[in-house]
Amino acid sequence: MKGYHYFLQSMDKVMDFVLNFFAIYLCYYGVMLWNRPYFSLPKTEMILIACSVCLVSSFMYSYYSVYRPMRTQTTAFFLSRILFVNFEMVVLFTVLILLFRREAGIATYYISWLLLSFALGTLLLIAKKVSMMTILHNLRSNRKNVKYILLVTDSQEMVDSYMEEILKNPQFGYSVVGYVGNLNIVGLPHLGTTADLDHVIKEFRPDEVVMAFDTVRRKVITKYVSICNDNCCKVLFVPAICGYFRAPRQVSAMGNLPLIDIRSTPLDNPTNQFVKRASDIVISLILIILTSPLMLFTAIGVRISSPGPILFKQVRVGRNNVPFKMYKFRSMRVNDSEKTGWSHEGDPRKTRFGAFIRKFALDELPQFFNVLKGDMSIVGPRPEVPFYVEKFKKEVPLYMLKHTLRPGITGLAQIKGLRGDTSIADRIEEDINYIENWSFWGDIRIILLTPFKAINRHEKYVAHETAHAKRQEEKEKRIYVAGTSMRAKTDGDTMKEFSNESDQHEEAENNEE
């Protein structure tokens, strides 16, 4: 199957074309039968429209990488692109219908035909893609359709990282035959030194050669690559910086010099930036209108619960380390530690009403106005006060990467329960995961899940961590007690043996006498 990659890719495109055409054809007759007197096209014109839509769709799927190799990509990667392309196609053809089919009532039938066609087409394409990936993943997990890899390396650390990814993802279908190198690497067969590279490639015929070096001279690398090229073997490099930066790599060029952008993210794309900002404005306006009764109720409750302002304005660090004032309903008594004091469970500064609104995240509703101002986004990493930013950037690896985009009201970390006094390292892990894998549909998913995840998730997290720590402590105590008993038993047995030996020795001495 490895040798038929381009054939399979072509078949994938043809199948998408056929499925889309089938959906358009079927939905046309559905709409026509529903409104036969008003909506009917000559068959030739209908087929021409269907083919045009399918061709444009195929081009868009290729542009958005729907036909990339499926070996190392996730199902979500392809599904998000299919959904995004079909959404763009619906918008595009809706505009064309409104421009060129202005007859009374006719535009409605065309739009109905369009929406039904893309709804059915999307379902068919997703079913086909999921089926293909499932079949291929099962084959590779069962050691079929495997790619054999030869490593050329001098780094144990980089080999460990590479092997970790392969072992935890058997569906990738990779198998490492061994390594070539001048140093001893634990865990892999040593097939020879770098001087033997040509001989090893000829003997084992790997599908790919992966080079992983901490430091190596350009002249040496050029020599290794030439050997691989002479043997018609594909070459890949594991960059030495992979342990420090995890963002998707993007190769660009400065003249004839290739450059690797180690911080390339989906939101570097101006189109994605526009989509995110536009959706922030629209969604925040809608939510401000819908939650206005709750805001009024909360404002009255804050005013009655304790003296002081209704809104709590606190300086937080936003995009590109620019500070801004974040709005919240005040949930605590006015205090002097608001610049550095970090709220936690059982905080004595909280009022009773403040504890209630924090439990249901009502204190964060005014942040929709921060979103309108452009200080924040609906979805993104939560912002911190400057005091903790200075503290955490020295303690938590990659902490400052969260400031490359606008902070959010909710985020991936928040829907996973990482709110309040929870692990900063875990939160940053999820924030970076969000930044590296951003998508419009991912934002929608987080927004929809937030109401179900916001209530006391941090308390549940702390309770879970406390219970886990208690179980570990009890386990260690049992091990200690068992170990103590074993040592006591062993010491007792030893003393008994020593006593027996002494008695035997004494008896032998008596016999001699």
Side-chain angles (χ1 to χ4, degrees):
M1 201 174 292
K2 294 174 290 186
Y4 296 100
H5 166 69
Y6 294 108
F7 172 75
L8 291 174
Q9 190 180 64
S10 300
M11 287 299 298
D12 197 11
K13 294 178 181 179
V14 170
M15 288 173 67
D16 283 356
F17 186 97
V18 171
L19 290 174
N20 274 328
F21 186 89
F22 171 76
I24 295 170
Y25 192 86
L26 185 65
C27 292
Y28 166 76
Y29 280 104
V31 175
M32 188 185 71
L33 291 173
W34 179 36
N35 295 283
R36 182 181 289 276
Y38 309 102
F39 183 68
S40 181
L41 292 173
K43 191 171 183 178
T44 305
E45 183 177 347
M46 187 274 293
I47 292 175
L48 183 61
I49 291 173
C51 288
S52 300
V53 172
C54 292
L55 284 172
V56 175
S57 298
S58 296
F59 171 78
M60 295 292 285
Y61 294 144
S62 295
Y63 182 78
Y64 282 100
S65 305
V66 173
Y67 301 119
R68 287 180 65 173
M70 291 180 278
R71 186 176 290 270
T72 58
Q73 296 296 339
T74 62
T75 305
F77 173 87
F78 293 106
L79 300 193
S80 63
R81 277 154 177 75
I82 291 172
L83 289 169
F84 184 74
V85 169
N86 284 2
F87 175 76
E88 283 191 336
M89 296 294 291
V90 167
V91 173
L92 171 64
F93 284 104
T94 299
V95 171
L96 292 177
I97 290 169
L98 295 176
L99 287 175
F100 297 105
R101 294 292 183 182
R102 299 182 180 179
E103 299 89 341
I106 297 298
T108 303
Y109 301 130
Y110 271 97
I111 292 174
S112 300
W113 179 25
L114 175 72
L115 293 176
L116 287 173
S117 298
F118 274 101
L120 179 59
T122 300
L123 291 175
L124 292 174
L125 263 62
I126 288 176
K128 183 223 56 171
K129 184 65 77 172
V130 169
S131 299
M132 287 182 65
M133 294 192 71
T134 302
I135 292 170
L136 290 173
H137 285 177
N138 287 338
L139 285 173
R140 291 163 186 157
S141 298
N142 293 322
R143 311 305 297 161
K144 296 177 182 179
N145 187 30
V146 173
K147 275 193 173 182
Y148 295 99
I149 308 298
L150 173 66
L151 284 174
V152 182
T153 183
D154 64 356
S155 170
Q156 180 72 57
E157 182 181 0
M158 295 176 73
V159 168
D160 290 342
S161 298
Y162 185 83
M163 292 304 300
E164 180 183 359
E165 292 301 319
I166 286 181
L167 293 175
K168 74 180 183 183
N169 294 289
Q171 74 276 10
F172 289 171
Y174 287 123
S175 178
V176 178
V177 297
Y179 79 96
V180 167
N182 300 324
L183 298 178
N184 183 39
I185 302 295
V186 177
L188 286 177
H190 188 197
L191 306 179
T193 65
T194 51
D196 304 318
L197 179 59
D198 183 63
H199 170 73
V200 171
I201 292 176
K202 283 183 169 62
E203 180 179 353
F204 288 90
R205 305 304 303 171
D207 296 296
E208 294 177 1
V209 172
V210 175
M211 299 191 182
F213 294 99
D214 282 331
T215 57
V216 65
R217 293 192 308 177
R218 178 179 177 180
K219 183 178 179 181
V220 176
I221 283 288
T222 303
K223 177 184 175 183
Y224 298 158
V225 172
S226 296
I227 292 172
C228 294
N229 290 339
D230 291 342
N231 287 279
C232 300
C233 196
K234 184 178 180 180
V235 183
L236 294 93
F237 284 87
V238 178
I241 58 173
C242 68
Y244 303 96
F245 300 97
R246 308 178 312 164
R249 274 61 173 175
Q250 179 180 359
V251 178
S252 58
M254 184 177 67
N256 294 322
L257 180 67
L259 300 173
I260 300 176
D261 183 356
I262 57 177
R263 286 183 47 191
S264 172
T265 66
L267 284 171
D268 291 337
N269 186 310
T271 302
N272 290 340
Q273 292 176 16
F274 172 79
V275 169
K276 186 167 178 63
R277 182 59 188 148
S279 62
D280 281 341
I281 293 171
V282 172
I283 293 173
S284 60
L285 283 171
I286 293 171
L287 291 176
I288 285 172
I289 294 170
L290 293 177
T291 61
S292 54
L294 278 175
M295 289 194 197
L296 179 61
F297 162 77
T298 307
I300 295 171
V302 171
R303 172 62 72 185
I304 294 173
S305 64
S306 69
I310 293 174
L311 288 180
F312 172 60
K313 302 176 184 178
Q314 188 179 49
V315 175
R316 298 287 179 109
V317 178
R319 185 183 184 188
N320 297 326
N321 292 343
V322 177
F324 70 97
K325 285 187 177 180
M326 188 180 79
Y327 308 135
K328 298 180 76 171
F329 283 120
R330 183 171 56 84
S331 61
M332 300 187 181
R333 297 174 182 86
V334 178
N335 63 87
D336 297 327
S337 59
E338 63 181 30
K339 291 185 179 179
T340 60
W342 198 11
S343 173
H344 53 82
E345 294 307 308
D347 197 317
R349 297 173 295 168
K350 284 192 292 188
T351 64
R352 180 177 294 181
F353 185 75
F356 169 77
I357 64 175
R358 285 173 67 87
K359 178 177 180 179
F360 293 95
L362 298 179
D363 60 321
E364 297 178 359
L365 293 178
Q367 291 167 38
F368 293 134
F369 293 98
N370 282 119
V371 176
L372 281 180
K373 286 178 60 181
D375 296 329
M376 296 179 68
S377 178
I378 296 292
V379 182
R382 287 294 291 167
E384 287 287 0
V385 297
F387 173 84
Y388 280 107
V389 171
E390 291 300 316
K391 174 178 167 43
F392 294 143
K393 76 178 184 181
K394 299 173 184 176
E395 300 174 356
V396 182
L398 304 178
Y399 177 81
M400 295 306 290
L401 286 184
K402 66 180 282 186
H403 297 99
T404 58
L405 73 164
R406 288 185 182 91
I409 297 176
T410 185
L412 188 60
Q414 281 64 49
I415 67 167
K416 293 191 175 183
L418 301 175
R419 301 171 68 245
D421 49 349
T422 54
S423 168
I424 292 296
D426 290 346
R427 273 195 257 174
I428 294 303
E429 181 78 17
E430 297 301 334
D431 287 341
I432 294 175
N433 185 27
Y434 170 78
I435 294 168
E436 293 174 353
N437 301 288
W438 177 88
S439 71
F440 172 76
W441 297 108
D443 275 5
I444 298 299
R445 172 181 171 271
I446 291 171
I447 292 170
L448 294 176
L449 286 175
T450 295
F452 304 100
K453 301 288 185 177
I455 301 174
N456 275 349
R457 295 300 296 174
H458 50 302
E459 294 177 3
K460 293 177 183 178
Y461 177 89
V462 172
H464 171 76
E465 290 297 302
T466 304
H468 178 71
K470 188 174 181 180
R471 287 195 299 271
Q472 286 295 110
E473 184 180 354
E474 291 175 352
K475 181 179 178 182
E476 290 173 2
K477 188 182 293 184
R478 287 196 302 270
I479 293 172
Y480 174 78
V481 170
T484 304
S485 301
M486 183 62 71
R487 285 195 299 274
K489 182 178 184 301
T490 303
D491 292 343
D493 291 343
T494 303
M495 291 298 296
K496 185 176 181 181
E497 290 175 5
F498 179 75
S499 177
N500 291 337
E501 289 177 0
S502 298
D503 292 343
Q504 292 173 3
H505 181 67
E506 184 177 354
E507 183 179 353
E509 287 182 344
N510 291 334
N511 290 335
E512 286 179 1
E513 291 177 357

